[in-house]
Amino acid sequence: MATASAAAQPKPQEPEPACLQSFELYESESTFYIFGTNSDKTLWRLLKIDRSETPELDIDECSTVYTETEYQELLNVLDEDHRSTGGVKFVTKFYGIIGFVKFLGPFYMLIITEQRKIGEIFDHPVYQVTKTSMVELANSKSRSSFLSSKDENRYKKILNSLDLRKDFFFCYSYPIMRSLQKNLTDPQEGWLLYESTFVWNEFLTRRIRNCLRSTLWTVALVYGFFKQDKFAISGKDVMFTLIARRSRHYAGTRYLKRGVNKKGRVANDVETEQIVYEAVSRPTEVSSVVQNRGSIPLFWSQDTSKLHIKPDITLHAEKDKNYEATKLHFENLRKRYGNPIIILNLIKTRERRESILRREFDKAIRIINEFDSEENHLRFLHWDLHKNSQGKPTNVLDVLLKVAFRALSLTEFFYCQVAPPSESETAHWPALLNSHDPYCCDESNSDISQEDISGSSDSSGNGTAEDKPETSELPQLKPPIFQKGVLRTNCIDCLDRTNVAQYAYGLAALGHQLHALGCVESPELGLGAPLAHHLMHFYERMGDTLAVQYSGSAAHNKIFSAKRGHLKLFIRSQEFFRTLQRHYSNACIDANKQAAINLFLGYFQPEQGNPALWELESSSEEHNNEPLDHTGDNPIPKVKSEGSLLCVSNASISGGSNELLNGAQPDVINELQPSNVESDLVDENEISQPFESEVSNSRYTPTVSDNHIHHVPDSQYYYCNGSGDSNFLDPEWLSNSGNSSDERSIAISSPDAQRSTENVISAIIPETMENQVAEVQGQKLPEHFVQWVNDGDTFWF
């Protein structure tokens, strides 16, 4: 019988049969029997799990493929064989194995007992987990020794607190953990798919995959967001899908996961993909575009506090004086997406806590660029969204849309035609048409004509393509377009402001995707177009979902709400309660949630004789996989939160001083929080290489010519040399060119533009705020409430 320990030497992976989608669990006193079948129940497979007390998982997969009649006969034979010990009993029906986990006692098997279809991609159904179960593998003889173990039960309770019914989804036959471009240009199956950055149960499935060298029995869970809908345009039904995939590396909750770790992994790393194709049974053209969000890749942290809504930020610049971890992060992104890497940094310039991080991030980017090849230079734009949203918040959407058009002209997007599947190829459809395909034509005879990406946002976006007569079953092949690079957006939490910017990029890309599919005449969709409002709903839902996962509350959607015309008082009241909800979650819930994530991902693995998870006192700094060093001459100070930032560094900060902004004050009492040590065992024992196999397959394999997306003439952009807020566009151009008829440029060129920063900061309330305050005061609300809503500081005075 094969065991996990006996699988040290990998054996060649054989092609797997059609995927198993439904399972039946039976038990005897000594063995668990799992029968798996495909969607139409034409074939059955058998898996045996030994229930005796063994140090390693003992699994045997029967090589025989049974018909339904043979499966029933085999079940009767097994029942007769175990008649002396009570026979074989049915336990439950389920829909896939999530994995196996071991605490201090026996192994447990996590299974999906209920699922719900939430969409499909090219006839491949996508399911959300709606109910799970933890099955103990020990039999009655070995179970008694663990019944009285309080620690064992506590670990089970912690793991069960991670609600897999919320936002975990999977697909049996389509690799949903990978982008469409990866799947079509570098198809992979089975074993390799679990090495993806976005498969959250990679650790839990590692034992069974090592043992069987097969993924027939498990499902690959993606954590994030999935939403799909059809909309009609130009007489066509178009399927739109928005997917957000959270990275399993350095994963966790706000305040407990911040910045970067030594391996270049960042907190709240999310890949967003939008897929568009015609909603017919066998679409022949498909398009997708990918963007990324992630924490500022520096060593920094925040301590949670029940007393303060905005706790201190501590910059640990001494940990990475040469920005090696920061550079490693961008190398990882480059291997995932190709060049260029475009950084859109939305943090504040006027707020003390954020401004020092902004200067340090800017310094890191410039140093990395100085010692890297020109081809690998990071493109960046530092733009204070909060400052530019004062007055009329919706103005920032116009500016962000122009940034998005410029970024899209550099990264482009993915478009291709796909081959119609045969009956035998349906399970692996779609497939990219290429030069060897009989449907392929000479690329010189056809092209995708696209308008310039001008960066302006005054297009109505209502143009439609004329109906074309169908001349053949398959249209003449157009050359594919490949995305080559990625837009990486961040604010402090990569939640609220980041989501607005991602919407703008998604809108810019959607116009070009629809244009490539022949649905619209103009590749530009304006903010007033009906599709823009439809897309906003998608991104707002995604933003709320990701915000709840990371911070405990829905996103602050002030700009989206303002765009819909909601009353300012309503918006402020909504933001107030979301802030309180987020603060409660951060202070009271996140520590337990982080402990559950650590167990699920294998970052903490219980062992007899070692401290238990709840016995390890830690701070948010230890969640960066770096123990606090109290032996040095300069220990890390803690101060009462006044919205300050502590810069723990002897190195100079680009563009500013590194002195302590606020003097040290008495410590705030910190609650015990579980350790978050990203165990070396997790990475050293991974099947993957230091960067996953998907990483080595760049998304920019072919290079597209510029006639797919014509760049805006360089005369419209000023490329900075070592100074300024951007090196790929001129910030002045954002505020002074390409404005629409409703004077959207006031998002930048406000009446206060000539005032010094000092005067702006010292102003009590700008004129644009007075009317808002009058609205609030008209409701006879307390003065300190008004101050808290406007300033965003601590609520207690």
Side-chain angles (χ1 to χ4, degrees):
M1 183 174 291
T3 63
S5 59
Q9 297 297 328
K11 56 184 178 182
Q13 183 181 357
E14 299 179 357
E16 295 183 346
C19 61
L20 305 179
Q21 299 187 19
S22 180
F23 306 85
E24 294 179 0
L25 177 63
Y26 295 85
E27 68 171 344
S28 69
E29 182 64 21
S30 61
T31 309
F32 273 116
Y33 295 100
I34 300 177
F35 288 93
T37 183
N38 56 356
S39 58
D40 54 6
K41 297 186 177 182
T42 57
L43 60 87
W44 294 75
R45 300 292 299 267
L46 174 62
L47 188 70
K48 304 175 185 178
I49 304 176
D50 187 9
R51 301 187 66 188
S52 60
E53 187 176 354
T54 57
E56 287 296 332
L57 198 61
D58 196 342
I59 302 179
D60 183 27
E61 181 181 30
C62 183
S63 60
T64 305
V65 178
Y66 303 95
T67 64
E68 186 167 11
T69 302
E70 292 171 337
Y71 141 71
Q72 293 291 347
E73 293 174 352
L74 177 59
L75 188 58
N76 293 332
V77 171
L78 292 175
D79 184 61
E80 187 64 30
D81 290 343
H82 293 278
R83 183 65 61 189
S84 61
T85 56
V88 173
K89 301 176 182 178
F90 174 77
V91 179
T92 185
K93 181 179 179 179
F94 66 100
Y95 300 95
I97 298 175
I98 297 173
F100 295 84
V101 65
K102 179 181 175 67
F103 306 123
L104 302 174
F107 279 96
Y108 300 89
M109 179 172 63
L110 303 178
I111 57 177
I112 300 171
T113 53
E114 291 183 12
Q115 63 184 14
R116 179 174 64 90
K117 183 179 176 181
I118 55 176
E120 61 180 35
I121 299 180
F122 312 111
D123 294 336
H124 300 278
V126 179
Y127 299 96
Q128 178 182 337
V129 178
T130 55
K131 189 175 182 181
T132 63
S133 179
M134 180 185 290
V135 180
E136 183 181 327
L137 299 188
N139 57 28
S140 58
K141 294 180 180 178
S142 58
R143 182 184 299 122
S144 58
S145 60
F146 304 108
L147 289 178
S148 59
S149 173
K150 293 182 179 180
D151 288 353
E152 183 77 8
N153 292 331
R154 190 166 182 179
Y155 278 122
K156 290 170 60 178
K157 185 176 181 180
I158 291 174
L159 185 62
N160 285 329
S161 67
L162 183 63
D163 194 350
L164 299 180
R165 299 170 302 173
K166 293 182 178 180
D167 311 321
F168 282 88
F169 54 92
F170 64 96
C171 182
Y172 293 109
S173 51
Y174 175 82
I176 199 170
M177 72 293 294
R178 305 174 84 235
S179 68
L180 178 64
Q181 179 168 318
K182 284 184 185 290
N183 287 331
L184 294 185
T185 59
D186 178 34
Q188 293 180 353
E189 294 181 4
W191 180 267
L192 295 176
L193 296 178
Y194 283 76
E195 300 177 13
S196 168
T197 297
F198 306 108
V199 175
W200 267 57
N201 58 333
E202 186 279 331
F203 169 75
L204 294 178
T205 59
R206 194 179 300 168
R207 284 186 172 95
I208 184 172
R209 289 184 291 114
N210 281 338
C211 180
L212 302 180
R213 304 301 297 181
S214 169
T215 58
L216 271 178
W217 304 89
T218 57
V219 295
L221 292 185
V222 179
Y223 184 39
F225 175 81
F226 182 96
K227 182 174 173 59
Q228 186 177 72
D229 199 5
K230 287 191 295 187
F231 54 86
I233 181 169
S234 187
K236 296 181 180 179
D237 286 334
V238 176
M239 183 68 74
F240 179 87
T241 306
L242 185 64
I243 305 173
R245 307 175 180 98
R246 302 186 70 92
S247 171
R248 62 181 167 89
H249 298 293
Y250 202 46
T253 58
R254 185 178 181 238
Y255 295 156
L256 298 182
K257 287 293 185 178
R258 288 300 216 195
V260 70
N261 65 10
K262 284 186 174 180
K263 298 172 184 175
R265 310 290 189 181
V266 295
N268 204 21
D269 183 355
V270 184
E271 175 183 274
T272 301
E273 179 181 23
Q274 64 181 43
I275 302 174
V276 182
Y277 56 86
E278 189 175 356
V280 294
S281 59
R282 292 290 189 269
T284 58
E285 299 174 276
V286 297
S287 177
S288 76
V289 68
V290 170
Q291 54 182 316
N292 177 266
R293 67 170 75 183
S295 186
I296 299 172
L298 302 170
F299 285 94
W300 61 284
S301 62
Q302 282 181 281
D303 287 333
T304 57
S305 170
K306 289 185 177 180
L307 300 179
H308 303 287
I309 290 180
K310 299 177 73 174
D312 300 311
I313 294 175
T314 305
L315 177 63
H316 306 277
E318 80 288 349
K319 289 186 176 182
D320 194 17
K321 295 180 180 179
N322 297 321
Y323 305 107
E324 292 296 332
T326 307
K327 182 178 180 181
L328 189 60
H329 169 67
F330 289 115
E331 288 176 354
N332 188 2
L333 284 183
R334 189 172 294 114
K335 291 179 180 180
R336 281 159 62 177
Y337 304 111
N339 276 328
I341 304 298
I342 304 174
I343 302 165
L344 176 55
N345 178 28
L346 302 175
I347 61 178
K348 301 174 185 176
T349 56
R350 297 177 177 177
E351 203 254 13
R352 293 173 297 175
R353 298 161 66 252
E354 297 191 15
S355 61
I356 295 183
L357 276 180
R358 177 202 178 279
R359 288 194 291 269
E360 188 72 9
F361 191 21
D362 177 71
K363 178 184 175 184
I365 294 171
R366 296 181 190 280
I367 289 178
I368 291 173
N369 280 347
E370 182 179 354
F371 294 98
D372 214 338
S373 64
E374 184 175 353
E375 177 188 3
N376 290 336
H377 276 188
L378 303 171
R379 311 292 183 95
F380 66 88
L381 169 64
H382 302 294
W383 191 70
D384 187 340
L385 184 147
H386 182 269
K387 179 183 71 175
N388 290 287
S389 66
Q390 300 300 316
K392 188 177 181 182
T394 55
N395 292 336
V396 302
L397 288 173
D398 299 273
V399 179
L400 289 173
L401 191 58
K402 294 198 292 185
V403 175
F405 280 127
R406 174 57 179 162
L408 188 65
S409 72
L410 298 175
T411 65
E412 307 194 62
F413 62 97
F414 177 58
Y415 163 84
C416 75
Q417 291 178 275
V418 293
S422 64
E423 289 298 326
S424 60
E425 295 175 338
T426 303
H428 302 284
W429 187 76
L432 179 69
L433 278 173
N434 54 53
S435 59
H436 304 292
D437 196 278
Y439 294 98
C440 186
C441 63
D442 186 357
E443 289 190 6
S444 63
N445 294 330
S446 66
D447 195 3
I448 297 178
S449 176
Q450 297 190 359
E451 303 293 333
D452 292 346
I453 296 182
S454 64
S456 66
S457 54
D458 55 353
S459 172
S460 66
N462 294 322
T464 58
E466 295 182 1
D467 294 335
K468 300 179 181 178
E470 296 184 2
T471 58
S472 63
E473 182 178 351
L474 191 73
Q476 187 181 31
L477 183 66
K478 304 173 186 177
I481 304 174
F482 296 92
Q483 182 173 342
K484 47 177 179 53
V486 74
L487 174 64
R488 182 199 192 275
T489 308
N490 74 269
C491 49
I492 283 293
D493 295 317
C494 301
L495 296 177
D496 312 324
R497 290 167 277 179
T498 295
N499 203 61
V500 175
Q502 288 208 323
Y503 160 70
Y505 185 77
L507 180 61
L510 180 60
H512 285 79
Q513 289 178 285
L514 293 173
H515 181 68
L517 295 176
C519 297
V520 295
E521 288 182 347
S522 170
E524 291 190 18
L525 283 177
L527 289 168
L531 281 181
H533 294 279
H534 194 71
L535 187 70
M536 182 185 296
H537 176 67
F538 272 73
Y539 275 86
E540 188 172 22
R541 286 281 302 276
M542 181 185 74
D544 287 342
T545 300
L546 298 179
V548 169
Q549 293 168 8
Y550 186 57
S551 69
S553 82
H556 291 283
N557 293 317
K558 288 186 286 188
I559 293 176
F560 289 156
S561 297
K563 182 67 177 176
R564 292 192 180 95
H566 293 167
L567 294 175
K568 294 176 182 178
L569 179 60
F570 168 78
I571 297 174
R572 289 178 177 274
S573 300
Q574 182 185 61
E575 301 307 301
F576 165 68
F577 287 111
R578 287 183 176 178
T579 298
L580 290 183
Q581 184 182 18
R582 185 172 293 185
H583 172 63
Y584 172 78
S585 178
N586 298 158
C588 304
I589 297 176
D590 283 0
N592 292 330
K593 187 177 180 181
Q594 184 70 59
I597 291 174
N598 292 343
L599 281 179
F600 189 87
L601 296 177
Y603 293 157
F604 181 90
Q605 300 177 42
E607 292 185 15
Q608 291 283 2
N610 289 345
L613 181 60
W614 49 88
E615 294 175 346
L616 298 175
E617 180 179 0
S618 69
S619 69
S620 60
E621 179 64 16
E622 286 177 317
H623 284 267
N624 287 333
N625 301 332
E626 282 291 312
L628 288 171
D629 183 7
H630 297 292
T631 60
D633 296 331
N634 297 312
I636 297 174
K638 295 176 181 289
V639 300
K640 184 177 180 181
S641 176
E642 297 292 346
S644 63
L645 184 147
L646 307 181
C647 180
V648 186
S649 173
N650 294 323
S652 61
I653 299 179
S654 175
S657 172
N658 67 337
E659 64 181 348
L660 194 62
L661 293 178
N662 277 0
Q665 298 182 23
D667 290 358
V668 177
I669 298 176
N670 294 308
E671 286 197 310
L672 295 181
Q673 295 171 351
S675 172
N676 182 17
V677 180
E678 187 175 355
S679 171
D680 290 338
L681 182 64
V682 173
D683 286 320
E684 290 175 0
N685 292 344
E686 277 185 346
I687 305 154
S688 58
Q689 299 299 320
F691 295 111
E692 298 82 335
S693 62
E694 68 161 355
V695 163
S696 63
N697 299 297
S698 175
R699 306 178 67 253
Y700 60 102
T701 308
T703 302
V704 232
S705 61
D706 283 333
N707 54 359
H708 291 312
I709 296 184
H710 299 291
H711 294 184
V712 184
D714 286 344
S715 60
Q716 293 191 23
Y717 298 96
Y718 172 72
Y719 291 87
C720 306
N721 294 315
S723 63
D725 289 330
S726 178
N727 66 349
F728 82 100
L729 56 76
D730 180 11
E732 288 298 321
W733 170 81
L734 291 177
S735 59
N736 297 326
S737 69
N739 297 307
S740 62
S741 59
D742 62 352
E743 299 297 331
R744 293 180 177 133
S745 63
I746 62 172
I748 301 291
S749 304
S750 63
D752 294 326
Q754 304 300 322
R755 300 171 61 186
S756 68
T757 303
E758 181 180 358
N759 289 335
V760 171
I761 295 176
S762 61
I764 299 177
I765 299 178
E767 182 179 355
T768 55
M769 299 292 293
E770 290 181 355
N771 293 335
Q772 300 171 9
V773 172
E775 289 183 35
V776 177
Q777 290 176 341
Q779 302 296 319
K780 298 181 179 180
L781 297 173
E783 181 179 352
H784 61 273
F785 173 82
V786 178
Q787 181 180 354
W788 184 87
V789 169
N790 286 326
D791 297 340
D793 291 330
T794 53
F795 186 66
W796 295 271
F797 294 91

